[in-house]
Amino acid sequence: MLLAAAGTAGSVGGYDRAQLATFVWVAQGLLAVILLWGWTDLADRIRTGDVAGDLLRPVHPVTSYLATDLGRAGYAVLARFLPPLLVGPLFFDVYLPTRWSTLPLFGVSVVTALVLCFGCRYLVNTTAYWLQDVRGPMILWTLGSGVLAGLYFPLRFLPEPLQLSLWLGTPFPSLLQTPLDVLVERDSPITQLGLVALQLCWAVLILAACRLVQRRAERRLVVQGG
């Protein structure tokens, strides 16, 4: 569909056909690495009361769950990210970076996106401290993150004022759109650095919010049955 959108002109939204093909294949691999959806481990432990055991450990829950998520992502890189990178070029003309700085910057961007996505998922899960049933927040997160992170279409297809509003006002573009734009070299090196710096800022803010919400939740935690 994206290649069709490029039409006979061969480009759309500042992406050529090879960049669009790379965008799609790498996005499918990154989806499992950053784990945009499907994580309810913390919410399940809050609902059952098992989270009380987490609070007795010497490591802060945010740090503990983040370390676990980083280990999971490391396995996903091998099992889920590399296969699309190998299969995609067999069927499509893909874009290969031309700048020496792109791959290191892409690596930093992916790790930052992973940490940021974990923080967002953690916040969604912590709503269980107040709601018990997190299906509502999870549905909102699933619907919103897929569209606003650039999974279904590049956010550069949107009007520029809306793009700026999403990038500066929400963390969603930093989850997926930014790493992909860095890899396909959609922007100049200076702009790429700016996007990754914005990612880092969002990651710091969201992790700080996780700790704040966790501290407030512990003040009102009621263990099931007690």
Side-chain angles (χ1 to χ4, degrees):
M1 292 176 63
L2 292 180
L3 293 179
T8 57
S11 65
V12 60
Y15 304 92
D16 61 28
R17 296 174 67 87
Q19 288 173 315
L20 288 173
T22 300
F23 191 100
V24 171
W25 282 97
V26 176
Q28 291 303 306
L30 282 181
L31 185 59
V33 175
I34 67 172
L35 195 62
L36 201 59
W37 308 314
W39 187 74
T40 59
D41 294 12
L42 177 60
D44 293 339
R45 292 181 66 81
I46 295 171
R47 179 178 54 81
T48 61
D50 292 339
V51 71
D54 298 337
L55 304 180
L56 296 175
R57 296 170 182 164
V59 180
H60 193 280
V62 174
T63 303
S64 175
Y65 279 100
L66 175 58
T68 301
D69 202 56
L70 290 173
R72 174 208 57 76
Y75 172 76
V77 168
L78 299 176
R80 187 64 175 80
F81 179 67
L82 291 181
L85 293 187
L86 299 176
V87 172
L90 299 177
F91 301 94
F92 295 90
D93 293 327
V94 297
Y95 181 85
L96 298 178
T98 59
R99 306 171 191 153
W100 66 267
S101 60
T102 294
L103 290 181
L105 191 61
F106 173 69
V108 173
S109 183
V110 169
V111 173
T112 306
L114 168 60
V115 174
L116 175 58
C117 188
F118 161 79
C120 293
R121 287 185 277 111
Y122 193 95
L123 289 176
V124 173
N125 273 247
T126 54
T127 60
Y129 282 115
W130 289 270
L131 302 178
Q132 288 293 309
D133 189 342
V134 297
R135 284 177 293 182
M138 285 300 299
I139 290 174
L140 290 176
W141 164 254
T142 299
L143 295 175
S145 61
V147 175
L148 301 179
L151 176 64
Y152 302 132
F153 60 88
L155 297 179
R156 300 300 182 93
F157 287 7
L158 299 173
E160 188 170 341
L162 183 54
Q163 294 179 34
L164 292 175
S165 298
L166 289 175
W167 249 289
L168 298 177
T170 76
F172 292 111
S174 295
L175 296 175
L176 199 61
Q177 180 75 39
T178 293
L180 295 172
D181 277 349
V182 168
L183 182 63
V184 302
E185 299 177 338
R186 168 63 174 72
D187 304 292
S188 67
I190 297 300
T191 302
Q192 287 182 324
L193 286 173
L195 290 175
V196 174
L198 181 60
Q199 267 190 302
L200 291 170
C201 291
W202 275 116
V204 171
L205 288 174
I206 293 297
L207 286 181
C210 289
R211 286 183 171 267
L212 176 62
V213 171
Q214 180 65 38
R215 184 165 63 248
R216 289 182 176 273
E218 289 172 7
R219 295 176 182 175
R220 71 168 309 281
L221 177 65
V222 177
V223 178
Q224 297 293 328

